[in-house]
Amino acid sequence: PLAAKLARLEDGGWFAQLDAMIRAQSLEEFQSAVGRLGIAYMNLMYADADGNIWYLYGSAVPRRDPSFAWREPVDGSDPRTEWGEYHPLADLPQVLNPPSGYLLNTNSAPFVATDSVGPPLPEADALAPVPAPRLQATSRRAEKLTASTAEDR
């Protein structure tokens, strides 16, 4: 048998967080709302009239025992596979006000969200739920795109 678990699905708080995000009047208020991490998964972008742009990849990311290969099925009957706390907002991959002045979201990680600026690629089993080969392939496509766009200028 196979079982799957979705972060924060049973905890609730999705609608309260979404409401706080909608009502936010500043970047700080928006980040505070998102910092609740009540939503299981979502990459999101923010822009405001002050010129701030922000891209966050992920939401509720559980801290997991590093002794397991989390990209493979794990034995859920082992109590060490049970999730405990979640990574705080500051741990999650994100880009704020890149020097390029733009962010692009194609439902991919922030490592390819802007022109040659972004967080470093994570370790293979770190925060990103996207398998490393997909990140690398996406990065190569983004490099080709930004290179060809730069030549067109």
Side-chain angles (χ1 to χ4, degrees), residues 11-68:
D11 298 344
W14 288 38
F15 292 115
Q17 179 176 328
L18 289 171
D19 183 63
M21 290 165 60
I22 291 166
R23 295 176 188 280
Q25 298 293 309
S26 67
L27 173 63
E28 293 76 22
E29 288 180 13
F30 189 81
Q31 288 175 323
S32 177
V34 173
R36 296 176 181 197
L37 301 175
I39 298 176
Y41 54 89
M42 174 174 44
N43 61 30
L44 59 89
M45 294 183 79
Y46 168 93
D48 63 26
D50 295 325
N52 293 304
I53 55 175
W54 181 54
Y55 182 28
L56 172 70
Y57 183 62
S59 290
V61 179
R63 293 183 187 270
R64 299 173 289 199
D65 185 328
S67 66
F68 290 91

Side-chain angles (χ1 to χ4, degrees), residues 96-112:
L96 174 63
N97 296 329
S100 64
Y102 75 88
L103 290 168
L104 170 72
N105 180 355
T106 58
N107 230 7
S108 59
F111 316 106
V112 295

Side-chain angles (χ1 to χ4, degrees), residues 63-80:
R63 293 183 187 270
R64 299 173 289 199
D65 185 328
S67 66
F68 290 91
W70 290 98
R71 297 194 187 283
E72 303 296 325
V74 296
D75 180 0
S77 67
D78 184 331
R80 296 175 300 152

